[in-house]
Amino acid sequence: MEIYIVRPGDTVDTIAEAYGVSPQSIIYNNQLPYPYPLAVGQALLLSDEPSPNTGKPLAFTGGYAYPFISRWVLEQTLPFLSGLYIFSYGFTPEGELIPPALDDTFMVTAAKSAGAAPILTLTPFGPTGQFSNYLITQVVNNETSKQNLIENLSAQITERGFEGVDIDFEYILPEDKIPFANFVRDVRTAVNALGYPVSVALAPKTSDAQAGLLYEGKDYGLLGEAADSVLLMTYEWGYT
């Protein structure tokens, strides 16, 4: 362990190579923010001891992305993601899957190449491109439609190479609270059988009895049991 004083032209990589330590240990031990700029005269702690996060991530990171995303933005972002949530796949009242208007094959391929899991994002988008609680009601309460949608999801995962499903349903009617949780559970059972996880996006409730169309149709306890993981959409607070 020693202290190194940064000189002109130094970078994390050149210092690491010169002193036989990993760039990750320099970044971690000195809490350097991305993109890891160094100032001449700056003191850095160098240690050959492995940083606590060696070999495993500190967090699971993901991001929603439409197929019209800039290829450059995607390329720059993927190395920092655990999962790429491809937005989005809709469905009909009969459970037929509706893919994005633009081809998303390049996103699946790019995610896999970068070591990020391509995640199929399922949304109840109606003909207007908006969330439709009518579609939710039709599918979660009709066993035939539900099973058809689950079979179509499974086929899409198998054929296209997706590595998970994220269920992003909003404006769920209060009377569909339990059927929706059962739907998430059934999707998870099928997708887990293929070897992949299922997550569910949750509106940011502050209490179980919170009023409002965003909140009344989601039971945190039931959905926490039904899915492999949950995403709290706290960004929704920012809209207001």
Side-chain angles (χ1 to χ4, degrees), residues 141-156:
N141 291 292
N142 184 299
E143 194 64 28
T144 300
S145 296
K146 178 169 69 172
Q147 290 306 317
N148 189 39
L149 179 55
I150 291 174
E151 289 174 9
N152 286 324
L153 280 171
S154 298
Q156 192 74 199

Side-chain angles (χ1 to χ4, degrees), residues 14-173:
T14 60
I15 296 171
E17 182 177 1
Y19 285 82
V21 298
S22 69
Q24 291 77 15
S25 70
I26 296 176
I27 293 167
Y28 180 84
N29 290 329
N30 297 280
Q31 294 297 285
L32 301 177
Y34 179 83
Y36 322 124
L38 300 177
V40 174
Q42 179 180 359
L44 295 177
L45 173 65
L46 304 184
S47 172
D48 56 4
E49 297 177 5
S51 59
N53 61 322
T54 297
K56 55 185 177 181
L58 292 176
F60 183 93
T61 57
Y64 288 116
Y66 287 93
F68 54 75
I69 187 173
S70 157
R71 302 292 179 104
W72 182 85
V73 170
L74 184 63
E75 178 184 333
Q76 296 298 307
T77 306
L78 276 173
F80 303 97
L81 298 182
S82 307
L84 178 67
Y85 292 72
I86 299 175
F87 204 89
S88 69
Y89 283 70
F91 54 88
T92 68
E94 297 74 31
E96 296 299 323
L97 207 57
I98 302 175
L102 299 177
D103 185 14
D104 59 1
T105 302
F106 76 96
M107 301 174 76
V108 176
T109 302
K112 287 177 172 289
S113 296
I119 306 297
L120 185 156
T121 303
L122 183 68
T123 57
F125 277 6
T128 63
Q130 303 295 318
F131 285 101
S132 168
N133 49 30
Y134 167 77
L135 280 175
I136 298 172
T137 295
Q138 293 301 304
V139 167
V140 301
N141 291 292
N142 184 299
E143 194 64 28
T144 300
S145 296
K146 178 169 69 172
Q147 290 306 317
N148 189 39
L149 179 55
I150 291 174
E151 289 174 9
N152 286 324
L153 280 171
S154 298
Q156 192 74 199
I157 291 170
T158 302
E159 295 168 8
R160 299 287 312 289
F162 285 102
E163 298 179 4
V165 171
D166 178 60
I167 300 173
D168 182 9
F169 285 17
E170 302 191 34
Y171 306 106
I172 303 165
L173 297 175

